Amino acid sequence: MNSERPEEGRPIGRRVFLGTIGLGALGVVTAPVLQRVTESVLGTFSGKDPTGLTGLLPNGGGFRYYSVTGSVPNKTAADYQLKIDGLVDKPRTFSLADLRALPQTRLVKDVQCVTGWRVPETPFEGVRLSHLLDLAGVRGSAKAIRFTCFDGAYSESLTLDQARRPDILVALRMQDKAIGHDHGGPVRLYVAPMYFYKSAKWLSGITVTDKVQPGYWEHLGYDVDAWVGRSNGRDDEPTS
């Protein structure tokens, strides 16, 4: 989960914003086709909305759009790269095609945001993070992983033991389709048992380190170990 912060520039018009709210309401009660249109509209405006209000609206899929920057560049199969470095014997750079060629794992779990909303039984598919770490050859002095994103601002972390769990993915697909830009694509982290802010969007870097380096939201008071139902003062039902 990321949250919107104000950016310089012209705000979206009042009519446009009210129209977006109307679409959000319709998406809850109308057909899936209209829900997909709603999702696209909200994704477009959330990146240009300095008020952050579009981030409070649910889209047709049950998710909400968040960003900690005013805009995020788009990456395609032609220019996307995921770098693995730090305390590894074989630093690697993976293209999207490289990641797609590796063994894929599918998980279907609830997604739980620390702000309270939940999307049940959400399919994610991708490469187990542990497999990528094995390919890079993690050194004995390693203790943790730092994740960075191509929005230029967001970061996250896991301990090495957490990163090796079988329910942690470098995800390429979500809800049985390629992950779109607004959902953090083309590649995002998916940490199934933790609150969704741990599942960093727009993933571009995996650095193996000798200690945990708190991420963006941890510096603002969120728990570093964000187990659903056992952290951040919440008692939500666990997601895995």
Side-chain angles (χ1 to χ4, degrees), residues 62 98 100 109 122 132 134-135 142-143 147-148 157 163 184 237-238:
D98 293 334
R100 287 171 174 166
K109 306 282 187 182
T122 303
L132 292 176
D134 288 343
L135 291 176
K143 301 295 183 184
F147 305 95
T148 50
S157 67
E237 181 181 350

Side-chain angles (χ1 to χ4, degrees), residues 92-114:
R92 302 286 297 266
T93 298
F94 294 90
S95 68
L96 189 56
D98 293 334
L99 294 171
R100 287 171 174 166
L102 293 173
Q104 305 290 301
T105 296
R106 187 174 191 266
L107 299 175
V108 181
K109 306 282 187 182
D110 290 1
V111 168
Q112 176 72 52
C113 181
V114 74

Side-chain angles (χ1 to χ4, degrees), residues 92-235:
R92 302 286 297 266
T93 298
F94 294 90
S95 68
L96 189 56
D98 293 334
L99 294 171
R100 287 171 174 166
L102 293 173
Q104 305 290 301
T105 296
R106 187 174 191 266
L107 299 175
V108 181
K109 306 282 187 182
D110 290 1
V111 168
Q112 176 72 52
C113 181
V114 74
T115 59
W117 55 264
R118 175 178 287 225
V119 183
E121 298 183 352
T122 303
F124 278 87
E125 296 174 60
V127 184
R128 281 181 174 158
L129 176 57
S130 60
H131 184 58
L132 292 176
L133 295 175
D134 288 343
L135 291 176
V138 175
R139 295 178 184 170
S141 57
K143 301 295 183 184
I145 314 293
R146 174 175 168 81
F147 305 95
T148 50
C149 308
F150 62 78
D151 68 349
Y154 203 73
S155 63
E156 256 309 331
S157 67
L158 292 171
T159 67
L160 186 57
D161 286 344
Q162 291 167 353
R164 289 197 176 281
R165 286 176 57 107
D167 53 2
I168 312 298
L169 301 181
V170 171
L172 313 179
R173 294 176 61 81
M174 171 180 154
Q175 296 177 316
D176 297 317
K177 57 182 180 289
I179 299 177
H181 175 77
D182 296 312
H183 282 302
V187 177
R188 71 174 298 159
L189 189 65
Y190 176 51
V191 183
M194 293 188 179
Y195 286 106
F196 209 35
Y197 66 86
K198 301 296 290 190
S199 297
K201 298 195 290 187
W202 307 300
L203 184 65
S204 61
I206 297 173
T207 300
V208 181
T209 64
D210 60 357
K211 61 182 179 181
V212 169
Q213 300 178 30
Y216 182 92
W217 281 110
E218 285 88 359
H219 284 295
L220 297 176
Y222 282 60
D223 286 352
V224 173
D225 294 322
W227 305 106
V228 174
R230 292 187 283 132
S231 62
N232 293 286
R234 298 188 61 89
D235 59 357

